[in-house]
PDB file of all heavy atoms in Angstrom:
ATOM      1  N   GLU A  14      24.958 -11.372   3.379  1.00 98.00           N
ATOM      2  CA  GLU A  14      25.811 -11.427   4.589  1.00 98.00           C
ATOM      3  C   GLU A  14      25.789 -12.821   5.175  1.00 98.00           C
ATOM      4  O   GLU A  14      26.795 -13.297   5.651  1.00 98.00           O
ATOM      5  CB  GLU A  14      25.287 -10.396   5.584  1.00 98.00           C
ATOM      6  CG  GLU A  14      25.758  -8.962   5.251  1.00 98.00           C
ATOM      7  CD  GLU A  14      24.980  -7.854   5.942  1.00 98.00           C
ATOM      8  OE1 GLU A  14      24.150  -8.198   6.829  1.00 98.00           O
ATOM      9  OE2 GLU A  14      25.203  -6.660   5.557  1.00 98.00           O
ATOM     10  N   TYR A  15      24.586 -13.411   5.141  1.00 98.00           N
ATOM     11  CA  TYR A  15      24.483 -14.771   5.674  1.00 98.00           C
ATOM     12  C   TYR A  15      25.374 -15.772   4.882  1.00 98.00           C
ATOM     13  O   TYR A  15      26.135 -16.558   5.455  1.00 98.00           O
ATOM     14  CB  TYR A  15      23.041 -15.230   5.595  1.00 98.00           C
ATOM     15  CG  TYR A  15      22.832 -16.745   5.794  1.00 98.00           C
ATOM     16  CD1 TYR A  15      22.648 -17.268   7.110  1.00 98.00           C
ATOM     17  CD2 TYR A  15      22.774 -17.591   4.757  1.00 98.00           C
ATOM     18  CE1 TYR A  15      22.492 -18.602   7.318  1.00 98.00           C
ATOM     19  CE2 TYR A  15      22.652 -18.941   4.937  1.00 98.00           C
ATOM     20  CZ  TYR A  15      22.482 -19.499   6.252  1.00 98.00           C
ATOM     21  OH  TYR A  15      22.275 -20.792   6.420  1.00 98.00           O
ATOM     22  N   CYS A  16      25.414 -15.592   3.597  1.00 98.00           N
ATOM     23  CA  CYS A  16      26.191 -16.440   2.717  1.00 98.00           C
ATOM     24  C   CYS A  16      27.705 -16.268   3.056  1.00 98.00           C
ATOM     25  O   CYS A  16      28.383 -17.239   3.305  1.00 98.00           O
ATOM     26  CB  CYS A  16      25.941 -16.157   1.242  1.00 98.00           C
ATOM     27  SG  CYS A  16      24.330 -16.801   0.677  1.00 98.00           S
ATOM     28  N   THR A  17      28.122 -15.038   3.047  1.00 98.00           N
ATOM     29  CA  THR A  17      29.621 -14.833   3.263  1.00 98.00           C
ATOM     30  C   THR A  17      29.988 -15.202   4.692  1.00 98.00           C
ATOM     31  O   THR A  17      31.030 -15.805   4.876  1.00 98.00           O
ATOM     32  CB  THR A  17      30.024 -13.367   2.981  1.00 98.00           C
ATOM     33  OG1 THR A  17      29.104 -12.491   3.601  1.00 98.00           O
ATOM     34  CG2 THR A  17      30.056 -13.071   1.506  1.00 98.00           C
ATOM     35  N   ALA A  18      29.088 -14.924   5.640  1.00 98.00           N
ATOM     36  CA  ALA A  18      29.449 -15.290   7.013  1.00 98.00           C
ATOM     37  C   ALA A  18      29.608 -16.808   7.224  1.00 98.00           C
ATOM     38  O   ALA A  18      30.307 -17.297   8.108  1.00 98.00           O
ATOM     39  CB  ALA A  18      28.351 -14.798   7.995  1.00 98.00           C
ATOM     40  N   ASN A  19      28.933 -17.621   6.322  1.00 97.00           N
ATOM     41  CA  ASN A  19      29.026 -19.006   6.416  1.00 97.00           C
ATOM     42  C   ASN A  19      29.993 -19.638   5.426  1.00 97.00           C
ATOM     43  O   ASN A  19      29.932 -20.840   5.161  1.00 97.00           O
ATOM     44  CB  ASN A  19      27.621 -19.623   6.300  1.00 97.00           C
ATOM     45  CG  ASN A  19      26.786 -19.386   7.529  1.00 97.00           C
ATOM     46  OD1 ASN A  19      27.053 -19.985   8.544  1.00 97.00           O
ATOM     47  ND2 ASN A  19      25.866 -18.462   7.426  1.00 97.00           N
ATOM     48  N   GLY A  20      30.808 -18.766   4.827  1.00 97.00           N
ATOM     49  CA  GLY A  20      31.828 -19.278   3.943  1.00 97.00           C
ATOM     50  C   GLY A  20      31.394 -19.568   2.493  1.00 97.00           C
ATOM     51  O   GLY A  20      32.035 -20.248   1.775  1.00 97.00           O
ATOM     52  N   PHE A  21      30.221 -19.062   2.149  1.00 98.00           N
ATOM     53  CA  PHE A  21      29.739 -19.270   0.730  1.00 98.00           C
ATOM     54  C   PHE A  21      29.885 -17.965  -0.084  1.00 98.00           C
ATOM     55  O   PHE A  21      30.086 -16.879   0.473  1.00 98.00           O
ATOM     56  CB  PHE A  21      28.279 -19.673   0.737  1.00 98.00           C
ATOM     57  CG  PHE A  21      28.049 -20.980   1.481  1.00 98.00           C
ATOM     58  CD1 PHE A  21      27.502 -20.964   2.751  1.00 98.00           C
ATOM     59  CD2 PHE A  21      28.323 -22.160   0.821  1.00 98.00           C
ATOM     60  CE1 PHE A  21      27.337 -22.168   3.393  1.00 98.00           C
ATOM     61  CE2 PHE A  21      28.083 -23.399   1.520  1.00 98.00           C
ATOM     62  CZ  PHE A  21      27.609 -23.356   2.813  1.00 98.00           C
ATOM     63  N   LYS A  22      29.809 -18.089  -1.396  1.00 97.00           N
ATOM     64  CA  LYS A  22      29.885 -16.884  -2.269  1.00 97.00           C
ATOM     65  C   LYS A  22      28.657 -16.028  -2.036  1.00 97.00           C
ATOM     66  O   LYS A  22      27.542 -16.521  -1.923  1.00 97.00           O
ATOM     67  CB  LYS A  22      30.012 -17.349  -3.713  1.00 97.00           C
ATOM     68  CG  LYS A  22      31.339 -17.972  -4.007  1.00 97.00           C
ATOM     69  CD  LYS A  22      31.634 -17.692  -5.540  1.00 97.00           C
ATOM     70  CE  LYS A  22      32.996 -18.269  -5.875  1.00 97.00           C
ATOM     71  NZ  LYS A  22      32.956 -19.770  -6.050  1.00 97.00           N
ATOM     72  N   LYS A  23      28.897 -14.717  -2.118  1.00 97.00           N
ATOM     73  CA  LYS A  23      27.877 -13.751  -1.972  1.00 97.00           C
ATOM     74  C   LYS A  23      26.720 -13.967  -2.995  1.00 97.00           C
ATOM     75  O   LYS A  23      25.555 -13.795  -2.718  1.00 97.00           O
ATOM     76  CB  LYS A  23      28.471 -12.361  -2.156  1.00 97.00           C
ATOM     77  CG  LYS A  23      27.602 -11.180  -1.908  1.00 97.00           C
ATOM     78  CD  LYS A  23      28.477  -9.929  -2.027  1.00 97.00           C
ATOM     79  CE  LYS A  23      27.765  -8.823  -2.734  1.00 97.00           C
ATOM     80  NZ  LYS A  23      28.533  -7.646  -2.988  1.00 97.00           N
ATOM     81  N   TYR A  24      27.115 -14.369  -4.159  1.00 97.00           N
ATOM     82  CA  TYR A  24      26.204 -14.576  -5.306  1.00 97.00           C
ATOM     83  C   TYR A  24      25.134 -15.629  -5.027  1.00 97.00           C
ATOM     84  O   TYR A  24      24.044 -15.618  -5.550  1.00 97.00           O
ATOM     85  CB  TYR A  24      27.009 -15.023  -6.534  1.00 97.00           C
ATOM     86  CG  TYR A  24      26.144 -15.109  -7.771  1.00 97.00           C
ATOM     87  CD1 TYR A  24      25.398 -14.071  -8.296  1.00 97.00           C
ATOM     88  CD2 TYR A  24      26.008 -16.380  -8.405  1.00 97.00           C
ATOM     89  CE1 TYR A  24      24.610 -14.239  -9.371  1.00 97.00           C
ATOM     90  CE2 TYR A  24      25.199 -16.555  -9.515  1.00 97.00           C
ATOM     91  CZ  TYR A  24      24.493 -15.436  -9.975  1.00 97.00           C
ATOM     92  OH  TYR A  24      23.643 -15.557 -11.049  1.00 97.00           O
ATOM     93  N   GLY A  25      25.429 -16.518  -4.052  1.00 97.00           N
ATOM     94  CA  GLY A  25      24.427 -17.483  -3.657  1.00 97.00           C
ATOM     95  C   GLY A  25      23.071 -16.885  -3.262  1.00 97.00           C
ATOM     96  O   GLY A  25      22.037 -17.463  -3.560  1.00 97.00           O
ATOM     97  N   ALA A  26      23.173 -15.715  -2.658  1.00 98.00           N
ATOM     98  CA  ALA A  26      21.973 -15.058  -2.220  1.00 98.00           C
ATOM     99  C   ALA A  26      21.029 -14.778  -3.402  1.00 98.00           C
ATOM    100  O   ALA A  26      19.858 -15.048  -3.340  1.00 98.00           O
ATOM    101  CB  ALA A  26      22.302 -13.753  -1.469  1.00 98.00           C
ATOM    102  N   GLU A  27      21.584 -14.183  -4.450  1.00 98.00           N
ATOM    103  CA  GLU A  27      20.804 -13.908  -5.611  1.00 98.00           C
ATOM    104  C   GLU A  27      20.229 -15.139  -6.279  1.00 98.00           C
ATOM    105  O   GLU A  27      19.026 -15.195  -6.662  1.00 98.00           O
ATOM    106  CB  GLU A  27      21.608 -13.137  -6.654  1.00 98.00           C
ATOM    107  CG  GLU A  27      20.760 -12.581  -7.813  1.00 98.00           C
ATOM    108  CD  GLU A  27      21.530 -11.661  -8.744  1.00 98.00           C
ATOM    109  OE1 GLU A  27      22.123 -10.687  -8.256  1.00 98.00           O
ATOM    110  OE2 GLU A  27      21.526 -11.966  -9.914  1.00 98.00           O
ATOM    111  N   GLN A  28      21.027 -16.205  -6.303  1.00 98.00           N
ATOM    112  CA  GLN A  28      20.525 -17.451  -6.899  1.00 98.00           C
ATOM    113  C   GLN A  28      19.311 -17.973  -6.114  1.00 98.00           C
ATOM    114  O   GLN A  28      18.273 -18.304  -6.694  1.00 98.00           O
ATOM    115  CB  GLN A  28      21.627 -18.497  -6.868  1.00 98.00           C
ATOM    116  CG  GLN A  28      22.756 -18.230  -7.818  1.00 98.00           C
ATOM    117  CD  GLN A  28      23.847 -19.289  -7.689  1.00 98.00           C
ATOM    118  OE1 GLN A  28      24.350 -19.517  -6.612  1.00 98.00           O
ATOM    119  NE2 GLN A  28      24.191 -19.847  -8.808  1.00 98.00           N
ATOM    120  N   ILE A  29      19.447 -17.961  -4.796  1.00 98.00           N
ATOM    121  CA  ILE A  29      18.334 -18.481  -3.946  1.00 98.00           C
ATOM    122  C   ILE A  29      17.080 -17.617  -4.142  1.00 98.00           C
ATOM    123  O   ILE A  29      16.005 -18.047  -4.336  1.00 98.00           O
ATOM    124  CB  ILE A  29      18.761 -18.431  -2.461  1.00 98.00           C
ATOM    125  CG1 ILE A  29      19.951 -19.306  -2.197  1.00 98.00           C
ATOM    126  CG2 ILE A  29      17.544 -18.852  -1.549  1.00 98.00           C
ATOM    127  CD1 ILE A  29      20.701 -18.965  -0.907  1.00 98.00           C
TER     128      ILE A  29
END
Side-chain angles (χ1 to χ4, degrees):
E14 280 163 9
Y15 168 88
C16 287
T17 47
N19 287 286
F21 298 101
K22 290 209 178 75
K23 186 172 138 188
Y24 182 62
E27 187 173 306
Q28 290 177 307
I29 299 159

